Amino acid sequence: GESVGLHLPTLSVQEGDNSIINCAYSNSASDYFIWYKQESGKGPQFIIDIRSNMDKRQGQRVTVLLNKTVKHLSLQIAATQPGDSAVYFCAENTNQGGKLIFGQGTELSVKP
Amino acid sequence: DAGVIQSPRHEVTEMGQEVTLRCKPISGHNSLFWYRQTMMRGLELLIYFNNNVPIDDSGMPEDRFSAKMPNASFSTLKIQPSEPRDSAVYFCASSGTTLWVDTQYFGPGTRLTVL
């Protein structure tokens, strides 16, 4: 029979626009969060991280926001470029010996 | 700087054959993780090591899967016998000196196809 794969949430944006990718995490005890970018045929690549004692952290063109009250994490990409097209995963460290739990991913598609 | 190195990059084998995947972590890292990625299940942690010692293998699907880390610079993931449902991309990742809060850096993956 035909297999059914995960249906990834998809975000489509115009080049130059800002992108916001959201993630709901599962464990209120998690104290460290990471965003990864995975391009087709490659392994996940670290983008930015944030610890639970912060609510915002900025990198180059990227900002991560953490709302512990509602267990929500977001990744903002400024001036999105075609090279940003990829699947983005959030991951949380649940204080279980370094184990990361990954979200299902969001596919970002940038239209030129 | 060399990142995590995995070999082979692609492996095609027939059902019932033994498959061995290899990983060289980033030098100086002391934690190593094996993941499997499929369309059906996403990215799953199979097993991880700290200082060459297996810490958690609860993600290993069954006895056909085994992993070893004989030294700080090498790990293997073995599947014996392989089955078509093992077809996936297998990633190795390593992280630095602190087990609890370090970023994991991923290798390029091994795409396994079992016919």
Side-chain angles (χ1 to χ4, degrees):
Chain A
E2 189 174 313
S3 63
V4 178
L6 285 176
H7 179 67
L8 291 181
T10 300
L11 175 65
S12 184
V13 300
Q14 203 70 38
E15 182 179 359
D17 287 352
N18 296 333
S19 303
I20 300 176
I21 300 171
N22 295 304
C23 177
Y25 63 92
S26 59
N27 193 323
S28 55
S30 295
D31 62 357
Y32 178 58
F33 305 87
I34 308 172
W35 279 101
Y36 285 92
K37 172 187 179 183
Q38 186 175 23
E39 296 174 278
S40 180
K42 297 183 179 179
Q45 177 187 6
F46 170 83
I47 302 173
I48 191 168
D49 59 1
I50 189 168
R51 300 190 190 280
S52 60
N53 61 352
M54 303 171 69
D55 53 22
K56 180 179 180 179
R57 190 166 186 215
Q58 289 185 290
Q60 186 178 15
R61 281 202 308 118
V62 294
T63 301
V64 55
L65 299 178
L66 175 63
N67 185 330
K68 294 182 288 294
T69 303
V70 295
K71 293 192 286 185
H72 184 267
L73 198 64
S74 69
L75 177 70
Q76 300 178 1
I77 305 173
T80 314
Q81 302 169 1
D84 295 327
S85 294
V87 177
Y88 289 81
F89 294 94
C90 64
E92 60 183 298
N93 179 299
T94 59
N95 272 319
Q96 294 178 34
K99 200 169 167 176
L100 287 179
I101 305 298
F102 283 81
Q104 68 173 54
T106 295
E107 184 171 5
L108 176 65
S109 175
V110 182
K111 296 176 287 188
Chain B
D1 288 342
V4 175
I5 298 172
Q6 291 187 246
S7 65
R9 293 295 311 277
H10 301 274
E11 176 81 31
V12 180
T13 191
E14 293 188 343
M15 182 173 63
Q17 296 298 305
E18 177 180 296
V19 175
T20 300
L21 311 181
R22 296 173 176 80
C23 175
K24 177 178 168 55
I26 293 171
S27 178
H29 282 188
N30 65 357
S31 296
L32 183 141
F33 306 79
W34 281 103
Y35 290 88
R36 177 173 68 176
Q37 188 175 42
T38 61
M39 285 300 295
M40 289 287 291
R41 301 173 66 90
L43 197 59
E44 303 173 276
L45 177 65
L46 300 177
I47 185 171
Y48 71 97
F49 297 83
N50 181 242
N51 291 324
N52 313 336
V53 175
I55 302 299
D56 184 345
D57 65 355
S58 60
M60 295 286 261
E62 48 197 275
D63 291 346
R64 297 184 298 106
F65 286 68
S66 62
K68 294 182 179 178
M69 191 164 186
N71 57 63
S73 58
F74 183 67
S75 177
T76 59
L77 178 68
K78 185 175 292 187
I79 309 172
Q80 166 63 18
S82 57
E83 296 182 3
R85 61 193 167 119
D86 302 330
S87 296
V89 181
Y90 291 80
F91 290 104
C92 176
S94 71
S95 67
T97 58
T98 304
L99 179 63
W100 296 94
V101 292
D102 273 339
T103 302
Q104 293 178 25
Y105 295 91
F106 284 74
T110 295
R111 180 174 294 277
L112 173 65
T113 303
V114 183
L115 303 174

